[in-house]
Amino acid sequence: MYWEKYYFAQSIEETLELLKHYEGDARIMAGGTDLMVQFKYNYLSAKVMVDIGRIKELNHIRQENGHVSIGATTTHTALATSPYLQKHFQVLASGVRTIGSPQIRNAGTIGGNVANAQPAADGSIALVALGATICGISPDGPFSRPIESTFLNPGECALNSTAELITSFTFPAPGPRDRSAFVRHSRRAALALPIMNMGLWLRLNEEEDGIEDARIAIGPMARVPFRAKKTEAFLRGAKLSEAVLDEAGELTFEEVSPRDSFRGSAAYKKELVRVYLKRAVLEAVGERSVGK
Amino acid sequence: MEFDIVGKSTPLLDGLEKVTGRARYVTDIRMEGMLHGKILRSPHPHARIVKIDTSKAEKVSGVRGIITGFNVPQHKFGTMLQDWVILPNDKVRFVGDEVAAVAATSEAAALEALELIEVEYEVLPAVFDQEEAMSPDAPLLYEDKDDNIATTFQVERGDVDGAFAESDIIFEDDYETSQVYQAHLEPMAAVVAPADYDRLTLWLSTQVPSMSRLRYAEALGVCAEDLRIIKPHVGGGFGAKFEYKSHILAAVLARRTGLPVRMVNTRDEDFIAGNPRVPMKIRVKLGLKKDGAILAKDVRIIAGNGARTVYGPAITSTACYRIDSLYKVRNVRSVGYTVYTNMIPTSCFRGFGNAQMHFAMEQALDAICHENGLDPVEVRRINGVYPGYVSIHGWEIKSCALQECVDQAVEASGWYEKKKTLDKSGAKKRGIGMALCNHVSGNRPFYRPFDGSSALVRLTPEGKAIVFTGEADLGQGLNTAFAIIAAEAVGLPVKDVRTAAVDTDISPFGLGSFATRATTIGGRAVYEAAVNLKEQLVSHIAKVYDEKPENIKVRKGEVALEGKGETLPIFDVMQKVSFSLGGASLVGQGSYVPDTVLPDENKYGNVSPAYPFACHIAEVEVDTETGSVNIINYWAAHDVGRVLNQQALEGQVEGGVIMGAGWALMEEMIVKEGHLVNPKLHDYWLPTSMDTPIGKIHSIFLESVDPNGPFGAKGIGEPSLNPVAAAIANAIFDATGARIKKLPISPDKIVGALVNKKL
Ligand SMILES: Cc1cc2nc3c(=O)[nH]c(=O)nc-3n(C[C@H](O)[C@H](O)[C@H](O)COP(=O)(O)OP(=O)(O)OC[C@H]3O[C@@H](n4cnc5c(N)ncnc54)[C@H](O)[C@@H]3O)c2cc1C
């Protein structure tokens, strides 16, 4: 096999002890859907695996004290099929629903998705749109910080998975005027990384005919999940109308600068962003709420 | 005629063992002492081999043999041209080219040894595009040749220039088809073991067991009898599994080491060194009368052969002129160049060049109709061939229900209504498109010595039958088709008949599964053998039971002795018959030699005993903002001659349509400077079940009862794919006005065409 020892950690404490004991030679294993590929192609190696899949408290979806908490080892299937998330956080439920295939979603976890730090990871894009906080424990003690600060470069995470453990992600509990949506474009309907994916979160104004606040995350448009801040600023305070959405799409088109890749050219990705920004808003608020 | 089995749905006889995982494939074979073979492949598209040092690799524990171009014979051999060697000692010509092979006691040891083989290369300039490769200053792949043109095919009949001069409409355009991977589930695989009498036994995942045997004998410098080929279950071929280098390397290693050697491609190796579809640049010029009758056709094709010849030249020639038996054109000129490039060698893929030409021709006709206000249905009707038609190249159409295919597809799809009413108002636009197709069921020039087949059907003392054939089931259901044919002809229930795995020590010679020939030609041989068996059976029953032969009826496993008014189970009867013959089985033998001819030097002569036809209609929805294409409905009306197995035919049609849709819309081998960027199933966008229009593919079968096919049956494998890409392209044009002439019709190309810029 690829490793010499394989531990099933029974608790968070044991995980940290094992990581500490092996001083960088041990790595956290969650669903293994990224790791096994990386091992096979020699992108990565580790002498010791610490499997965190059996630690109960890392696997949860709950609302507490005005916050939602998602455990790091919650699988994509669990998130996608959660009635609570489907009702209040479409962006997350339908975002992870697009990942790989049923088998991949059954094994893959949200923690692994974020730790793997791909600029278009569907789970990461959704969490960025939700303005999530990443919570964990490092040798220096517990930490929590904005999720966006963990992404450094494609595949490079500020978090060190040979020493630190992500325990959960948190974001504010749903408000009555909060809406969200996830849109995605790929070359096939399953088992395909996106050419473009977009997570959108909105808070409507009191009259529900305009936007009070917005967060937009798009991948793969930069080295890390991209926040369309100019478009967000434009949408804040804007009334919902076709014309506004067209203008917003144009702004997003302007502010992204993707690169050519074999999945799609930069020019095509920009075209997609324009189209999907509008579609995402319509999906989030419902077609009927938008004036002509 | 009333049939007991033919025409009904018979589940594939090996289906259960396949879905339960019990079926064994070459990749499942493990043997005492078996070594694992691995191949060192070139990292360069074109380079001179300066030196190969295997000394470090030899020291790896477990390594039993290493071969390179410096310790194997350097004689040339090949499938069509003599451009293969076992391993080269001069140059590598594509990324993936075989440089050395190792056999070791474990896969890990073999891989370790590969890493330690030191090869010094002198990198050479390379050429990737087949058209560029024709240029006089392109780097030469084979220095003993004047240029990179492997072969040129030319045919000209009638008065082409005169016919163009008489034409009211002249149309000319360029089309380009892509190199795509067959993506069979089971990768290329061989296990080769030394056997008694200094022979070798080769278990191969192949569609051509007997032909491989001849070729490998030539490569190994032995006679064919020294090789025993066994073909167990095969996990798909689609044209990829013809003669293959790694089989030969496994055989050489098995001989050198005296031990069995297993050589199985990884998926990456299959991608970079399999034999994908021949890419073509096709220029079509057509001359027509005002009403759409085609007077003249002029075609120029530049096809990418890759770095050595597999079957590229035959595929190019097929693209050049097979379609002249679909439409009644009498003035034709074609030239097809098959050109070496520093790319993966290309070869057969369901459709064999005819599919490429259909993409061009059927779009050209659609464009002509659109530009001249003609009805694409009518134009196809007036040009389509009919029973009794003899093509300009001497191809004799016997059974033909092409017109009926058009009628039924048009009717079932509601074509005329949809043409008028499909919604094109919003961002998502609907469209409908049509394409016709023809194909062969056998291709006389493919194996020059002969075409034909023979079979044995053995009836055991228990009254069960075994069919022996050299034709190859690849998972398409051939073994079940043969069982159906034998069961129907003898009068047995199909469950009591099975088809044996091909074993060249036992099975008759069979050319194999290609050219949509196996059911028609192989099946006819099985039919003849079964009829012969039945005659023997009846005459023995007559003797043993003292009954007049005309009073003996065998049906559904029962023997009626009408004179005696008795009906007996076949088991009882065969026990008596067999015991009266010292325990013998009855063996029926049959052959079928089609009355086809090897085309002369001018390419004249009927190549196939039967010709299948089809009309496909695609209805699509195109998201004009994103370029996504959704197949809403698909109608496939096929002249199959006779339905042997309804559900297997539907399976072939659905598979062909989905594979064709993948080729049309999704699949792409993205190559940069000779390196394949996406050699993984994750990044190679083969349709998944989520992408397939499940329940939306409507098969319609027409039975023209061919005089040559078994019970009148013709083939289905390739015709089910040939028209698909064109039908979809035409539907996209109908929906959006975007005419995409280069495969794949990817979403970026559609959006690009609509906003008039290259994306
Ligand atoms: C065929 C296939 C298709 C895929 N398709 C998609 C897709 O469409 N979209 C998409 O976004 N992704 C896709 N993926 C990627 C993958 O499934 C996800 O990124 C998945 O969420 C990773 O989670 P995991 O639990 O499997 O992580 P693992 O492979 O177990 O771990 C990944 C990395 O995260 C670290 N890690 C895991 N958990 C923690 C933790 N709690 N704390 C600290 N470090 C941790 C590990 O050490 C490792 O470095 C696909 C993968 C495959 C194989």
Side-chain angles (χ1 to χ4, degrees):
Chain A
M1 248 310 157
Y2 304 107
W3 47 75
E4 289 164 14
K5 279 195 177 142
Y6 197 102
Y7 290 98
F8 287 100
Q10 301 301 322
S11 66
I12 292 174
E13 295 70 38
E14 192 189 350
T15 306
L16 291 160
E17 273 163 29
L18 284 165
L19 294 178
K20 193 168 166 209
H21 177 80
Y22 285 102
E23 298 177 319
D25 283 342
R27 174 171 282 274
I28 291 171
M29 162 81 90
T33 60
D34 277 323
L35 277 178
M36 293 310 289
V37 178
Q38 290 161 359
F39 285 144
K40 180 165 175 183
Y41 288 100
N42 288 325
Y43 300 150
L44 196 75
S45 63
K47 282 200 185 133
V48 178
M49 299 313 306
V50 181
D51 190 318
I52 56 171
R54 297 188 180 177
I55 306 174
K56 287 224 171 55
E57 45 185 317
L58 292 182
N59 181 2
H60 65 260
I61 304 169
R62 60 176 174 249
Q63 188 179 324
E64 55 192 9
N65 309 329
H67 274 84
V68 180
S69 173
I70 307 279
T73 62
T74 313
T75 64
H76 301 308
T77 299
L79 297 172
T81 56
S82 153
Y84 171 77
L85 295 179
Q86 284 174 354
K87 179 149 183 238
H88 299 291
F89 297 99
Q90 259 307 324
V91 63
L92 184 56
S94 57
V96 298
R97 162 88 188 77
T98 63
I99 290 177
S101 63
Q103 296 91 328
I104 295 294
R105 294 194 291 275
N106 287 342
T109 67
I110 187 72
N113 196 259
V114 170
N116 204 46
Q118 288 303 322
D122 293 294
S124 300
I125 289 288
L127 288 176
V128 170
L130 288 172
T133 298
I134 178 167
C135 307
I137 308 181
S138 74
D140 308 331
F143 64 82
S144 63
R145 52 183 182 241
I147 188 166
E148 280 177 80
S149 66
T150 38
F151 305 117
L152 302 179
N153 268 308
E156 197 192 324
C157 181
L159 181 114
N160 175 2
S161 298
T162 66
E164 300 172 287
L165 172 73
I166 305 171
T167 50
S168 65
F169 302 93
T170 63
F171 42 86
R177 290 178 277 111
D178 293 358
R179 306 281 185 274
S180 72
F182 190 92
V183 288
R184 186 185 203 263
H185 191 78
S186 61
R187 283 286 287 272
R188 82 180 154 196
L191 275 171
L193 295 177
I195 302 174
M196 189 249 32
N197 57 353
M198 186 187 293
L200 169 86
W201 174 88
L202 297 174
R203 176 161 293 158
L204 298 177
N205 61 12
E206 305 242 340
E207 295 76 32
E208 299 203 356
D209 65 350
I211 296 169
E212 189 177 296
D213 197 4
R215 231 179 281 111
I216 303 164
I218 318 179
M221 295 293 145
R223 304 187 64 75
V224 296
F226 178 78
R227 277 282 296 281
K229 291 192 175 159
K230 287 185 186 147
T231 313
E232 291 175 5
F234 170 79
L235 286 176
R236 264 178 224 119
K239 288 269 185 283
L240 282 168
S241 77
E242 288 270 348
V244 162
L245 296 189
D246 286 339
E247 207 178 327
E250 213 53 50
L251 260 180
T252 325
F253 175 89
E254 293 297 336
E255 74 173 307
V256 296
S257 41
R259 288 163 41 137
D260 287 333
S261 85
F262 74 89
R263 291 192 185 91
S265 66
Y268 178 56
K269 287 179 196 166
K270 280 173 78 84
E271 291 291 334
L272 289 175
V273 162
R274 181 193 345 240
V275 172
Y276 278 104
L277 188 275
K278 185 172 171 184
R279 290 188 183 184
V281 177
L282 289 175
E283 194 175 314
V285 303
E287 304 242 355
R288 265 172 298 140
S289 342
V290 179
K292 283 282 157 204
Chain B
M1 216 191 299
E2 259 284 332
F3 296 114
D4 292 326
I5 306 158
V6 164
K8 313 234 160 30
S9 274
T10 303
L12 297 193
L13 300 177
D14 50 13
L16 191 65
E17 63 197 76
K18 285 185 177 171
V19 297
T20 54
R22 277 188 286 123
R24 280 168 60 84
Y25 297 79
V26 172
T27 43
D28 296 316
I29 296 172
R30 297 291 183 280
M31 272 177 216
E32 193 64 39
M34 187 182 81
L35 302 177
H36 297 263
K38 283 282 163 198
I39 296 170
L40 182 69
R41 299 182 179 279
S42 167
H44 304 294
H46 200 187
R48 197 165 301 289
I49 300 172
V50 179
K51 202 169 87 192
I52 304 182
D53 182 353
T54 58
S55 55
K56 286 187 192 137
E58 281 155 23
K59 298 201 182 87
V60 173
S61 132
V63 169
R64 294 287 179 272
I66 300 181
I67 51 174
T68 70
F70 297 100
N71 67 9
V72 295
Q74 285 297 306
H75 62 288
K76 298 213 155 127
F77 56 96
T79 46
M80 298 194 71
L81 303 180
Q82 305 288 301
D83 56 8
W84 295 35
V85 287
I86 295 175
L87 287 170
N89 65 13
D90 57 345
K91 291 209 298 186
V92 287
R93 295 180 173 84
F94 69 100
V95 174
D97 205 351
E98 299 81 0
V99 180
V102 176
T105 49
S106 72
E107 216 170 280
L111 288 171
E112 192 186 335
L114 286 193
E115 287 200 359
L116 293 173
I117 296 176
E118 288 167 4
V119 187
E120 195 183 313
Y121 293 105
E122 176 196 328
V123 175
L124 300 169
V127 61
F128 309 113
D129 176 86
Q130 66 261 35
E131 199 168 350
E132 281 169 26
M134 282 176 80
S135 134
D137 23 84
L140 263 188
L141 269 89
Y142 292 89
E143 271 104 18
D144 57 341
K145 294 197 159 66
D146 297 333
D147 53 35
N148 287 322
I149 300 174
T151 56
T152 304
F153 175 92
Q154 260 174 311
V155 65
E156 180 160 357
R157 290 216 152 73
D159 172 12
V160 180
D161 295 323
F164 274 115
E166 268 176 51
S167 297
D168 302 316
I169 301 167
I170 294 191
F171 174 91
E172 189 170 344
D173 214 343
D174 290 289
Y175 302 86
E176 193 172 339
T177 64
S178 55
Q179 173 191 297
V180 278
Y181 171 48
Q182 294 86 345
H184 27 77
L185 269 179
E186 181 193 32
M188 302 285 210
V191 174
V192 183
D196 291 347
Y197 301 102
D198 206 17
R199 297 173 83 217
L200 287 175
T201 306
L202 298 86
W203 287 262
L204 301 180
S205 181
T206 180
Q207 43 196 103
V208 288
S210 306
M211 282 206 314
S212 300
R213 185 176 184 228
L214 297 174
R215 204 82 65 194
Y216 298 167
E218 195 188 326
L220 299 168
V222 299
C223 65
E225 264 310 314
D226 295 335
L227 303 179
R228 175 183 178 193
I229 309 249
I230 299 175
K231 182 211 72 73
H233 288 299
V234 171
F238 307 107
K241 290 179 176 169
F242 280 73
E243 295 91 327
Y244 192 59
K245 234 338 171 37
S246 80
H247 298 176
I248 300 169
L249 298 179
V252 173
L253 285 167
R255 287 241 297 219
R256 296 249 168 134
T257 59
L259 290 166
V261 174
R262 173 180 193 266
M263 189 83 89
V264 177
N265 271 3
T266 60
R267 188 61 70 180
D268 297 49
E269 286 181 292
D270 249 28
F271 264 110
I272 65 164
N275 296 131
R277 190 186 284 280
V278 178
M280 293 187 187
K281 297 189 184 191
I282 304 175
R283 169 161 300 164
V284 180
K285 186 177 170 194
L286 293 172
L288 304 90
K289 284 298 224 194
K290 262 204 229 49
D291 64 355
I294 306 169
L295 290 185
K297 166 179 162 269
D298 191 353
V299 164
R300 192 211 59 189
I301 295 174
I302 304 176
N305 197 28
R308 67 172 169 258
T309 307
V310 191
Y311 286 100
I315 292 159
T316 307
S317 62
T318 295
C320 279
Y321 81 140
R322 187 173 287 176
I323 208 159
D324 298 342
S325 301
L326 175 60
Y327 296 123
K328 298 176 295 193
V329 52
R330 306 305 290 180
N331 305 289
V332 298
R333 176 162 54 214
S334 295
V335 56
Y337 305 98
T338 309
V339 186
Y340 287 119
T341 61
N342 292 110
M343 298 271 283
I344 183 171
T346 58
S347 186
C348 317
F349 189 145
R350 201 173 193 176
F352 199 75
N354 205 25
Q356 284 91 321
M357 190 59 203
H358 274 71
F359 178 70
M361 182 74 175
E362 289 301 284
Q363 280 208 80
L365 281 182
D366 198 65
I368 290 166
C369 291
H370 182 78
E371 286 165 18
N372 296 281
L374 296 169
D375 176 356
V377 177
E378 270 317 301
V379 166
R380 286 183 171 84
R381 260 198 241 280
I382 59 175
N383 287 297
V385 300
Y386 49 82
Y389 179 76
V390 179
S391 91
I392 184 86
H393 308 295
W395 296 22
E396 297 163 15
I397 311 298
K398 294 180 179 85
S399 64
C400 172
L402 178 62
Q403 300 283 348
E404 293 85 341
C405 287
V406 176
D407 291 344
Q408 298 239 356
V410 164
E411 157 114 33
S413 63
W415 170 273
Y416 285 106
E417 185 60 23
K418 290 207 163 120
K419 266 283 186 198
K420 276 184 269 164
T421 58
L422 283 183
D423 187 5
K424 296 183 172 59
S425 58
K428 293 188 176 172
K429 299 186 194 306
R430 295 251 173 137
I432 191 163
M434 142 182 301
L436 262 50
C437 112
N438 74 322
H439 210 71
V440 292
S441 289
N443 184 12
R444 176 63 191 86
F446 193 81
Y447 181 68
R448 295 189 76 83
F450 79 99
D451 196 1
S453 188
S454 72
L456 304 173
V457 182
R458 192 170 105 199
L459 190 61
T460 69
E462 291 80 31
K464 305 212 173 189
I466 308 165
V467 177
F468 293 91
T469 171
E471 311 298 350
D473 192 321
L474 315 171
Q476 80 275 48
L478 190 66
N479 284 349
T480 303
F482 287 173
I484 290 170
I485 291 165
E488 186 73 58
V490 177
L492 297 170
V494 73
K495 69 169 176 49
D496 286 349
V497 184
R498 64 191 164 87
T499 305
V502 177
D503 176 345
T504 56
D505 270 8
I506 298 161
S507 314
F509 186 102
L511 289 176
S513 283
F514 55 84
T516 305
R517 66 183 289 286
T519 300
T520 310
I521 295 180
R524 175 72 184 273
V526 171
Y527 175 81
E528 298 298 337
V531 168
N532 176 260
L533 170 66
K534 176 100 173 238
E535 282 164 14
Q536 295 180 41
L537 176 63
V538 169
S539 85
H540 284 294
I541 296 172
K543 258 187 253 150
V544 172
Y545 287 92
D546 192 21
E547 175 70 281
K548 288 205 192 83
E550 58 270 27
N551 288 339
I552 300 169
K553 298 275 145 55
V554 185
R555 244 188 104 179
K556 297 183 179 178
E558 293 190 325
V559 180
L561 306 170
E562 291 179 344
K564 295 196 161 60
E566 238 182 294
T567 299
L568 301 165
I570 187 89
F571 179 90
D572 296 2
V573 172
M574 269 311 288
Q575 294 271 298
K576 274 204 172 176
V577 167
S578 173
F579 297 162
S580 79
L581 297 167
S585 293
L586 299 183
V587 181
Q589 179 158 10
S591 289
Y592 174 58
V593 182
D595 61 348
T596 48
V597 292
L598 188 64
D600 61 21
E601 69 271 22
N602 298 317
K603 284 86 183 176
Y604 188 90
N606 184 36
V607 300
S608 172
Y611 297 93
F613 297 93
C615 174
H616 283 200
I617 292 179
E619 182 183 349
V620 302
E621 182 177 84
V622 184
D623 184 332
T624 53
E625 292 179 331
T626 65
S628 296
V629 177
N630 204 350
I631 297 171
I632 302 291
N633 262 307
Y634 200 98
W635 293 270
H638 281 266
D639 168 12
V640 297
R642 169 84 74 193
V643 176
L644 292 176
N645 186 353
Q646 175 76 23
Q647 74 177 53
L649 267 180
E650 286 169 5
Q652 283 290 309
V653 169
E654 286 164 20
V657 170
I658 292 164
M659 200 171 214
W663 185 37
L665 299 172
M666 300 168 68
E667 293 175 44
E668 199 166 2
M669 294 178 84
I670 302 163
V671 181
K672 291 256 148 67
E673 294 297 308
H675 293 263
L676 183 63
V677 176
N678 57 337
K680 310 221 172 342
L681 288 171
H682 192 193
D683 292 325
Y684 181 79
W685 301 293
L686 201 67
T688 68
S689 55
M690 298 284 287
D691 299 277
T692 56
I694 291 168
K696 311 279 177 54
I697 302 171
H698 314 285
S699 322
I700 300 164
F701 298 122
L702 289 120
E703 298 192 310
S704 57
V705 191
D706 191 84
N708 287 328
F711 298 103
K714 306 191 270 193
I716 186 69
E718 295 172 281
S720 62
L721 181 139
N722 284 344
V724 178
I728 291 173
N730 291 341
I732 292 170
F733 175 79
D734 183 51
T736 65
R739 168 77 63 198
I740 313 294
K741 296 175 292 183
K742 180 176 176 181
L743 287 173
I745 309 173
S746 50
D748 52 334
K749 283 190 197 143
I750 294 176
V751 177
L754 293 173
V755 300
N756 228 338
K757 60 183 173 202
K758 193 173 180 310
L759 290 184

